[in-house]
Amino acid sequence: MEVDQVVPLPRLPRVAVCGGTHGNELSGVYLVRELLKLQREVMKKEQEEDLKPASVLLVLSNPRAMQQCRRYVDTDLNRCFTHATLNGPLSDMAPYEIIRSRELNALLGPKGSPAAVDLVCDLHNTTANMGLCFIAYSDCDWICLHIFRHLQREMPDTPMRFLHFDVSNKESYSLDSVGKHGFAMEIGPQPHGVVRSNIYTAMKVGVQHMLDWVRLFNSGNVFEGGFVDVFTMVKHIDYPRDSETRNITAAIHPCLQDRDFCLLHPEDPLFQTFSGETVRYKGTEPLYPFFINECAYYEKGIALSLARKRQATVKGPLRNSQPS
């Protein structure tokens, strides 16, 4: 009988959990504050070193935006981590978030270097009805995929999807791309500037299970392979707009609103104009919509995004290559 060969990967001794990258996405803000408080209490008790599952670095990413309860102060911090932005010239008049991205890169990176932290989990909220999503730049990062499968097993009542943005490492733009492995944990629906207990709790439980998986992995546990449905982003769709003023002329159609990850077929209702007409989806293939009517994306010209679903093989058995 053939035995599957174990996939060895390095341990994850340094993990970062970040909140407040967008200052008005409050689940991550309050969760990281709570974890910082618990961490201080643990340090006071001087627990034995071998009881700590990993070195967890807790980061409040955008303090100025958090103080003002705004997504950002000058520019979107979560678009400031490309190779060019992190390494280009910096003027005296640089936006606050450009400066902050370099501080975070120095703390967690440098991006793409052996010194970077092993895993970054960046916490976000969405106003869209997306449940709990992992958003990652790779559909073959076995660490992120195994963590996702662990959360699926441990949180069976929580709708959960793995979103893949097919972008190169140099062009990857979000904070989670600074680590050797990384993903955004995006949970909704929750209005910006508001914290809902059910959404906060789902995020808290998800982070706890993520850290539990890291502890088990670092301790030498073996994780079997399997399969994960991966949604790869294909394109964005903007709202219909007036050709002269560029003002939007329609809203998401009622038949589509809140139906994130429900298959959208050609000729399905897409928008309803302010005069009452239906605008239909003119794509050539059925795709899965997500970030439907996301509040923060009006300024970006995105009414919704569309993804193609496939089943990805998650390699296993997986274990760390330096068992203790």
Side-chain angles (χ1 to χ4, degrees):
M1 177 173 140
E2 186 177 344
V3 178
D4 291 338
Q5 186 173 359
V6 172
V7 179
L9 288 175
R11 294 174 74 249
L12 307 170
R14 295 189 303 147
V15 176
V17 178
C18 306
T21 301
H22 294 136
N24 60 356
E25 296 178 9
L26 296 188
S27 293
V29 171
Y30 285 110
L31 179 55
V32 171
R33 284 176 176 167
E34 180 68 14
L35 293 173
L36 282 165
K37 184 175 76 172
L38 293 173
Q39 192 177 67
R40 286 191 292 268
E41 292 173 357
V42 167
M43 290 174 67
K44 284 181 182 178
K45 293 177 182 177
E46 296 180 344
Q47 288 191 344
E48 295 293 330
E49 186 69 27
D50 59 5
L51 294 181
K52 296 179 182 178
S55 174
V56 180
L57 181 60
L58 301 168
V59 181
L60 292 168
S61 310
N62 196 336
R64 288 192 191 176
M66 287 166 45
Q67 187 176 32
Q68 299 175 35
C69 198
R70 295 169 54 183
R71 182 175 174 87
Y72 55 80
V73 176
D74 294 322
T75 192
D76 192 336
L77 176 61
N78 217 34
R79 302 297 183 271
C80 293
F81 293 92
T82 64
H83 181 82
T85 302
L86 291 173
N87 296 283
L90 192 65
S91 74
D92 294 337
M93 302 297 291
Y96 165 69
E97 278 83 5
I98 297 292
I99 297 168
R100 183 62 178 152
S101 70
R102 303 218 175 177
E103 295 171 352
L104 291 166
N105 188 50
L107 176 67
L108 303 176
K111 179 175 177 173
S113 78
V117 298
D118 299 290
L119 175 65
V120 175
C121 172
D122 192 25
L123 304 175
H124 289 267
N125 290 121
T126 174
T127 61
N129 187 31
M130 288 171 54
L132 189 158
C133 291
F134 276 34
I135 303 178
Y137 292 108
S138 172
D139 60 353
C140 56
D141 184 319
W142 312 126
I143 293 293
C144 295
L145 286 164
H146 272 279
I147 293 172
F148 179 78
R149 290 190 73 226
H150 181 70
L151 264 66
Q152 282 186 312
R153 289 191 296 268
E154 297 297 327
M155 303 171 67
D157 296 329
T158 301
M160 205 172 298
R161 285 97 177 185
F162 192 100
L163 269 170
H164 169 223
F165 284 23
D166 191 10
V167 178
S168 71
N169 181 261
K170 281 185 116 177
E171 296 302 316
S172 57
Y173 48 75
S174 55
L175 174 57
D176 52 276
S177 69
V178 172
K180 294 186 182 77
H181 308 274
F183 60 90
M185 185 183 292
E186 183 98 39
I187 308 185
Q190 177 173 282
H192 298 319
V194 170
V195 59
R196 290 178 50 177
S197 61
N198 62 321
I199 300 298
Y200 171 87
T201 300
M203 181 176 284
K204 180 179 180 180
V205 172
V207 170
Q208 288 171 338
H209 286 310
M210 181 271 293
L211 294 175
D212 286 344
W213 187 92
V214 171
R215 176 183 57 80
L216 292 169
F217 176 74
N218 287 345
S219 298
N221 283 46
V222 176
F223 299 90
E224 296 301 323
F227 301 94
V228 165
D229 286 334
V230 172
F231 294 83
T232 299
M233 200 275 288
V234 175
K235 61 181 177 179
H236 304 301
I237 294 181
D238 192 7
Y239 295 91
R241 293 181 182 271
D242 183 279
S243 59
E244 295 182 1
T245 67
R246 302 307 301 157
N247 291 330
I248 67 172
T249 59
I252 295 292
H253 196 279
C255 293
L256 179 59
Q257 182 62 52
D258 297 327
R259 289 181 57 79
D260 297 77
F261 298 105
C262 296
L263 200 58
L264 181 69
H265 294 87
E267 297 302 321
D268 280 351
L270 191 60
F271 298 106
Q272 186 168 283
T273 69
F274 298 140
S275 58
E277 299 170 349
T278 295
V279 178
R280 298 185 178 275
Y281 171 53
K282 297 300 181 183
T284 57
E285 63 173 314
L287 292 171
Y288 292 87
F290 63 99
F291 279 128
I292 297 173
N293 205 13
E294 162 59 45
C295 169
Y297 289 174
Y298 276 71
E299 68 175 35
K300 299 181 187 299
I302 299 173
L304 68 154
S305 300
L306 294 174
R308 191 176 288 119
K309 184 172 79 167
R310 71 177 184 86
Q311 191 175 73
T313 301
V314 182
K315 282 193 176 181
L318 179 80
R319 70 171 297 170
N320 80 64
S321 55
Q322 305 122 344
S324 54

